[in-house]
Amino acid sequence: MRYFLFFISFSFLVTSCKPPLPVYFDKPIGTQVQGFDTAVIGNYIPLEDVLDKGAKEFSEKYIVKYDKIVPRNADISLDMNGTNVNYNDVKAIMGTTADSTKKDNAKSCDSLFKSLCAFNELTSAKLGSILDKKGQAKTVAGMVKITYDRVLFISLDSAGKNRRDTLLLLGPALMLTKYSDKYFLNFKTPFGWEILQMDIWENKFLSARLFYFTNYNDCAATEAELTSSTQTIYPGLKPIQNAEKKVVGFKAMLDPKILLEKFKRSEESVLLYRIK
């Protein structure tokens, strides 16, 4: 169920085999607030589920053929003065056919990356462990509930039992702040602050956007070359090394205006729909 995937695990969003670049800021963004206000408090489900349901219901009733909508039970010709494009031809046009050279290059880059880096997992992704419990009945429905000082996951399993898990609880290690009419969750880590942006609009949609980037050079032969490739992600990043001298993430000096602009280019986000 995709319900598990808000604030917990962003693996379903990842389109790249490269891990996201962990960036740790020297301080939280904006002004601290004690809790969420009524504009955010509420019950949410993934917007994708709502859209999927609507698309499924549409496709069960209608067929889309070029620029026409045709009822599935209609006894009419579907010839729209054109020929269908072969699916294999489409794949070829998009360049999705196998390429052994690309695979070999990917293996070479993977080897170089592992020799230089051992990136930390994003803090928000680690939260999935609290829901990964063996022996649990299958979840048949679930929602995210945001209250004044915490984020809960409420689920109904196949045995008819409700379960409540606290995903996030505001406190010293998790600071809620506000900047430019947006909320931010600031996770305190041993390396600095990991930041997630939250934004509400039309009083019914909520986006949770990680500082998530993979457009660094994973084929870099040196640490300096890797660091240089991160400067378009955020300026002035400095590598953090572990005891084995491998890069586990990058330090950043917070500039709120720059960070806000960079969030607009973040590669991944989760969209939620408020329900009554």
Side-chain angles (χ1 to χ4, degrees), residues 63-70 77-80 82-84:
I63 299 172
V64 176
K65 194 72 173 179
Y66 296 98
D67 59 348
K68 292 187 178 181
I69 300 174
V70 182
S77 171
L78 295 181
D79 183 9
M80 300 299 166
T83 57
N84 291 329

Side-chain angles (χ1 to χ4, degrees), residues 14-19 106 110 214 216 218:
V14 180
T15 56
S16 170
C17 60
K18 296 159 65 175
D110 187 55
T214 61
Y216 55 86
D218 64 329

